[in-house]
Amino acid sequence: MTALPTVSSMSMLLPFTLLAPLAAMLLIVFLPKEETKTIKIIAAMGMLVSLVLSLYAFLNYQWEPGGMQYTLTIPWVPDLGVNLALGVDGLSLPMLLLTNLIGFASIYASWNIDKRVKEFFVLLLILIAGVMGTFIARDLFIFFLFYEIVVIPIYIMVIIWGSTKRVTKEYAAMKLTIYLLIGSAFLLVGMVALYLAAGANGNPTFMFDLLSARQDLYSPAFQKVAFALMIVGFGSLISMFPFHSWSPDGYAGAPTAVSMIHAGVLKKIGGYGLIRLGIYVLPVGASFWAPYIATLAVISVLYAAFIALAQKDLKYVVGYSSVSHMGYVIIAVAALNPTAATGAVGMMFAHGVMAALFFSMIGFIYEKTHTRNIADLGGLAHQMPRLAIGFMIAGMASLGLPGTVNFITEFTIFMGAINVLPVHAILGIAGIIFTAVYILRTIANVLFGPRRAEWDHLTDIRGPELVPLVIFGFVIFFAGIFPNVLLGMIDSGVTSSGLAKVLETVSQAKIGGLF
């Protein structure tokens, strides 16, 4: 009989962080559906516990040794090399914190939900836990398991609580789910191929670090094919052109909380996977496909920005803006250097906070006015000044205003990419100009102008509705003024995880003409 591993108090930090929303979900399951206020309070308390634990992990992470910390490894299916392996480093810990920030705020963004409240919060907590699990998993099988868990609640929540504006919620839910499942199918094929190749020595494993350590077992041809499968799988998730069309429709059809999580962290699984699994494990394949990825990324940036200019629905403006901004992350991935990789993870965090704030404010506008059509709005700052502040903070962060976290992360990306991909970087920078145009125009048309009497009955956001504004507004400016709190940790993760060494090897090999 195999002895169970010794478990320390710190190694239980991540399991408790993951289980807090699930424990709240189980409590809600046994409550009567009429106890709506109690249900909301329990959901909020469960996410508060998870947020506090993730913040504790973030503040107590040791930058100097770096590497995976708070680790827990329990054999699950030893014969197949599957382990319940959890841990975080400087790459995944910011994503864990981001998930809990958005998850906590999404509870309050949904505070006025009155339709099937019990089922809504049960599914929301499962969704948050599933996303969280992908960022703390150190085993590829566990990573994929959590990713698949995410798809189920999203489909149900869009179908039941979604919007019925430009597209029907049924269409949005089906399109979103099909794209995610097609992407996961490609990812599954690549995962199985990688598992078989890594186990050629008779020691099967799904552990990320062991998969990377066995690169001598992967031929260049294998790496190119396997990385291509990863591009489709993770590229669909991060909405890279041409796999992007599900994303804006998914945002538009989803309830506010799902839009926040979808844009804030679900997409980031794609970027995180390309770095953690793609580059770290398959560097030769990454080097081969990098120029093609960069080209698709530039198309994503410019094409989606142009499309955003023509949108009349607020959710579609932010939806296409999200596709455009994720193009910056993909450019950074294609640059294959430590500076760009640091910027990529930083940008995912920054965009997640900004997009979640944007969608929460849009959700409140729709809830109070029953429209997202820009032409129907105008002058809302007169009636809802606090909401206007939140909308403007999100807008300024989106266009990369200095002092916001988005500015410094975009700057880091282009500093890393300019010497490697100069043409792509310059074209990508041009996307910032288009972002400024559609963001400033949207802010002007929605918030400013003469007071419109038909909106005088509106009430400003207050009470629980202020939580997303307070949380995200603070993070946007705090991380923008003190960027090393975020980027310093990410840089330590790039260095200590071995990713920097892999990137250096790839760079030298490219210079030598080996690839």
Side-chain angles (χ1 to χ4, degrees):
M1 181 180 296
T2 304
L4 291 176
T6 303
V7 178
S8 67
S9 58
M10 294 305 289
S11 66
M12 292 305 296
L13 182 62
L14 296 181
F16 285 146
T17 305
L18 179 64
L19 290 174
L22 295 178
M25 179 270 294
L26 287 175
L27 288 175
I28 292 172
V29 166
F30 292 103
L31 284 175
K33 63 181 181 180
E34 295 80 13
E35 298 288 338
T36 57
K37 185 175 181 180
T38 304
I39 289 170
K40 294 173 183 178
I41 291 174
I42 290 176
M45 292 303 296
M47 283 312 307
L48 178 61
V49 171
S50 190
L51 175 59
V52 170
L53 291 175
S54 62
L55 185 60
Y56 176 87
F58 189 91
L59 295 176
N60 288 274
Y61 181 82
Q62 301 298 313
W63 291 15
E64 188 58 37
M68 285 289 175
Q69 298 179 24
Y70 314 114
T71 57
L72 175 69
T73 305
I74 300 176
W76 191 23
V77 188
D79 291 343
L80 297 178
V82 178
N83 297 282
L84 181 59
L86 307 178
V88 287
D89 61 4
L91 298 175
S92 53
L93 189 48
M95 296 294 100
L96 174 64
L97 179 60
L98 174 66
T99 303
N100 281 289
L101 286 169
I102 295 176
F104 181 69
S106 70
I107 300 294
Y108 290 95
S110 309
W111 204 256
N112 297 326
I113 286 283
D114 56 6
K115 176 184 179 182
R116 304 182 72 167
V117 175
K118 178 177 178 177
E119 291 87 346
F120 179 88
F121 283 99
V122 165
L123 291 169
L124 180 60
L125 291 169
I126 293 174
L127 172 60
I128 295 168
V131 176
M132 199 187 311
T134 62
F135 293 124
I136 64 176
R138 295 187 295 122
D139 184 285
L140 181 56
F141 184 90
I142 303 300
F143 171 91
F144 188 79
L145 181 64
F146 277 117
Y147 171 50
E148 290 298 297
I149 289 173
V150 166
V151 178
I152 300 170
I154 281 186
Y155 177 78
I156 299 172
M157 293 180 79
V158 175
I159 284 287
I160 297 177
W161 294 276
S163 169
T164 56
K165 291 297 178 182
R166 175 169 154 182
V167 298
T168 65
K169 56 187 178 182
E170 292 80 9
Y171 171 82
M174 187 62 69
K175 187 174 184 179
L176 183 156
T177 305
I178 289 174
Y179 266 82
L180 292 183
L181 289 178
I182 290 175
S184 68
F186 279 88
L187 183 60
L188 178 61
V189 173
M191 183 181 83
V192 172
L194 187 60
Y195 169 77
L196 294 175
N201 59 2
N203 295 310
T205 185
F206 281 102
M207 296 288 287
F208 284 120
D209 55 347
L210 294 178
L211 291 174
S212 178
R214 298 178 183 179
Q215 290 178 17
D216 57 319
L217 298 176
Y218 318 142
S219 68
F222 172 83
Q223 290 208 33
K224 293 172 185 177
V225 173
F227 194 84
L229 295 170
M230 303 297 173
I231 292 173
V232 178
F234 290 124
S236 298
L237 192 53
I238 202 174
S239 64
M240 179 179 71
F241 181 89
F243 313 114
H244 68 286
S245 65
W246 65 273
S247 184
D249 288 337
Y251 292 144
T256 299
V258 174
S259 295
M260 292 169 65
I261 295 170
H262 176 183
V265 284
L266 180 61
K267 272 191 174 184
K268 311 313 183 285
I269 299 173
Y272 175 78
L274 281 174
I275 295 172
R276 175 72 74 189
L277 181 60
I279 298 176
Y280 186 45
V281 178
L282 302 166
V284 176
S287 178
F288 176 81
W289 289 108
Y292 307 99
I293 297 174
T295 300
L296 293 176
V298 170
I299 296 174
S300 294
V301 170
L302 298 179
Y303 168 77
F306 275 116
I307 298 298
L309 285 168
Q311 299 307 306
K312 300 177 181 179
D313 184 305
L314 281 173
K315 274 199 171 183
Y316 274 96
V317 172
V318 181
Y320 280 104
S321 172
S322 178
V323 174
S324 179
H325 281 82
M326 287 301 95
Y328 298 143
V329 174
I330 303 168
I331 290 174
V333 170
L336 296 176
N337 67 62
T339 301
T342 299
V345 179
M347 180 64 185
M348 288 192 288
F349 182 94
H351 177 269
V353 174
M354 176 274 294
L357 177 57
F358 239 145
F359 278 116
S360 65
M361 296 299 105
I362 292 173
F364 290 135
I365 289 175
Y366 179 71
E367 180 183 311
K368 297 172 186 295
T369 65
H370 304 293
T371 182
R372 297 195 308 256
N373 188 5
I374 297 173
D376 295 337
L377 303 169
L380 290 183
H382 295 286
Q383 294 90 355
M384 297 188 288
R386 289 190 290 272
L387 185 144
I389 290 173
F391 200 92
M392 289 180 63
I393 291 174
M396 296 303 102
S398 180
L399 59 84
L401 185 74
T404 65
V405 64
N406 300 68
F407 167 77
I408 192 62
T409 54
E410 289 178 9
F411 182 80
T412 305
I413 285 175
F414 291 117
M415 283 292 293
I418 193 70
N419 290 327
V420 184
L421 301 164
V423 175
H424 297 83
I426 292 171
L427 291 174
I429 292 171
I432 298 175
I433 301 172
F434 298 115
T435 302
V437 173
Y438 63 73
I439 289 295
L440 293 176
R441 188 174 67 180
T442 301
I443 289 175
N445 291 336
V446 172
L447 301 179
F448 300 115
R451 186 186 191 98
R452 299 180 61 166
E454 64 264 39
W455 302 130
D456 282 345
H457 68 282
L458 299 179
T459 57
D460 201 1
I461 55 175
R462 57 190 176 184
E465 296 172 333
L466 287 169
V467 172
L469 169 57
V470 173
I471 290 178
F472 298 137
F474 172 79
V475 173
I476 285 171
F477 288 113
F478 181 82
I481 296 170
F482 304 101
N484 195 53
V485 173
L486 174 65
L487 295 183
M489 171 172 287
I490 297 171
D491 184 64
S492 74
V494 171
T495 303
S496 61
S497 67
L499 181 61
K501 185 176 181 180
V502 169
L503 292 171
E504 182 181 352
T505 302
V506 169
S507 178
Q508 291 175 350
K510 288 170 70 176
I511 294 173
L514 297 181
F515 299 149

